[in-house]
Amino acid sequence: MNPARRVASPRVVCIEDFRPLARRRLPKAVFDYLDGGAEGEVTLRENCRAFQDVSFRPRHAVTFPACDLRTRVLGFELSLPFLLAPVGYSRLMHPGGEVAAARAAGLAGTGYILSTISGHRLEDVKAASSGPVFYQLYLMGGRAAAEDVIQRARTAGVSALVLTIDTPVAGLRERDFRNGVKELISGGLREKLPFLPQVLERPRWLINFLRDGGIRPLPNVVIPGKGPMPLVDINAALASAAVNWADLRWIRELWRGPLVVKGVLTGDDARRAVDEGAAAISVSNHGGRQLDGLPAPLRALPEVVAAVRGQAEVWMDGGIRRGTDIVKAICLGARAVLCGRGYAYGLAAAGEAGVTRAIEILRVDLERTLHLLGCPSLTKLDRSYVNVPATWQVV
Ligand SMILES: Cc1cc2nc3c(=O)[nH]c(=O)nc-3n(C[C@H](O)[C@H](O)[C@H](O)COP(=O)(O)O)c2cc1C
């Protein structure tokens, strides 16, 4: 069956149903890069599990004809309270990659955040989407490369810059080491050889990958005098990209538009980000891919919301797989959430059609959840709709 028809089939009911489809289409190294987390993957699992600690308090015998799912994010009205998170190397998952995901987001009335580690030019991604496009910045390639891309983002009409602060080095993603990701991306033929069988097992992916030009340099990390930076594995990419608060001040001078700080897990960091001028922060542990043993973002959300005191938007990401997850995060004070693997499994399974279907599943989930809760509008959700463990209360 062709991939677009497969993801439209009634058997794809929830986000989790995309995962085996993605696994079947991708070489093991690419699937594990997408699916995996750091070290023992405790945080990766906890991100999803934490939603079970919060239960609902519905208002029954309440009827209304339609649900209002709209929200405002950085001044943009979105049809949905979730955006697509930055997912590096998306073009390896499907040739459409970042362009396909951004187009699907725009058509659904929501925003797309483009990773620095993108296979497509930011101008093409921006042009593909009818919704807001934000650019996620890593300082890869040094300050001059960052200055260049910030200028390009401004010219292309990118709406906000998202600075990720939880990657001073890359987390130990054990699956990537075992699968030879580094060797496959930047090794010579001899180093690649032991890892090639997994790629040959997915001939359809391989043909599409080769037709798409194979391993390409990063078009948005242009080093002056040298050109686009070659594609490197994540450890090499992040080794040169650590940011500190002083960098934030420097970035504020270059970029006068809204700045989002992604990767906050404590009230103290949240305050600092707000004091440095962040318009929004995303409570995030990088999808469990960095420090294993971090709390789930949902668990950190109440502390961050309290610390921010309404002076910036609070978003969260990590573990979103269902509409009920999104509703719980909003009840705990998030303005919106970011969805990472949830749409990336769809992208891997069927390109743009897969992303569109993933977004649609979450949208229908949200409508059903609001009806079952007896709440007509997303903006009316608050703590009164959930039971939160006593230990989560912020004093
Ligand atoms: C394959 C993959 C690549 C990612 N690449 C980036 C990236 O380039 N920049 C970034 O800030 N976050 C990156 N993230 C983290 C996501 O933006 C987001 O924080 C995370 O995926 C949320 O968790 P979820 O996947 O459970 O939704 C990546 C996540 C995944 C799964």
Side-chain angles (χ1 to χ4, degrees), residues 114-165:
L114 175 65
S115 164
T116 292
I117 310 174
S118 162
H120 287 282
R121 293 170 67 247
L122 77 86
E123 291 81 359
D124 298 339
V125 174
K126 171 69 184 109
S129 179
S130 51
V133 172
F134 306 156
Y135 186 77
Q136 179 269 321
L137 183 68
Y138 283 137
L139 297 184
M140 286 166 60
R143 283 193 170 204
E147 279 169 17
D148 172 77
V149 80
I150 290 173
Q151 174 60 42
R152 279 174 60 191
R154 192 181 304 117
T155 309
V158 164
S159 307
L161 217 55
V162 178
L163 185 70
T164 301
I165 62 164

Side-chain angles (χ1 to χ4, degrees), residues 33-34 85-88 93 115 136 138 164 262 284 286-287 289 317-319 321 339-341:
Y33 163 73
L34 161 57
V87 167
M93 294 162 205
S115 164
Q136 179 269 321
Y138 283 137
T164 301
K262 175 173 178 283
S284 170
H286 215 104
R289 301 164 76 80
D317 67 79
R321 301 291 182 273
C339 174
R341 293 180 185 82

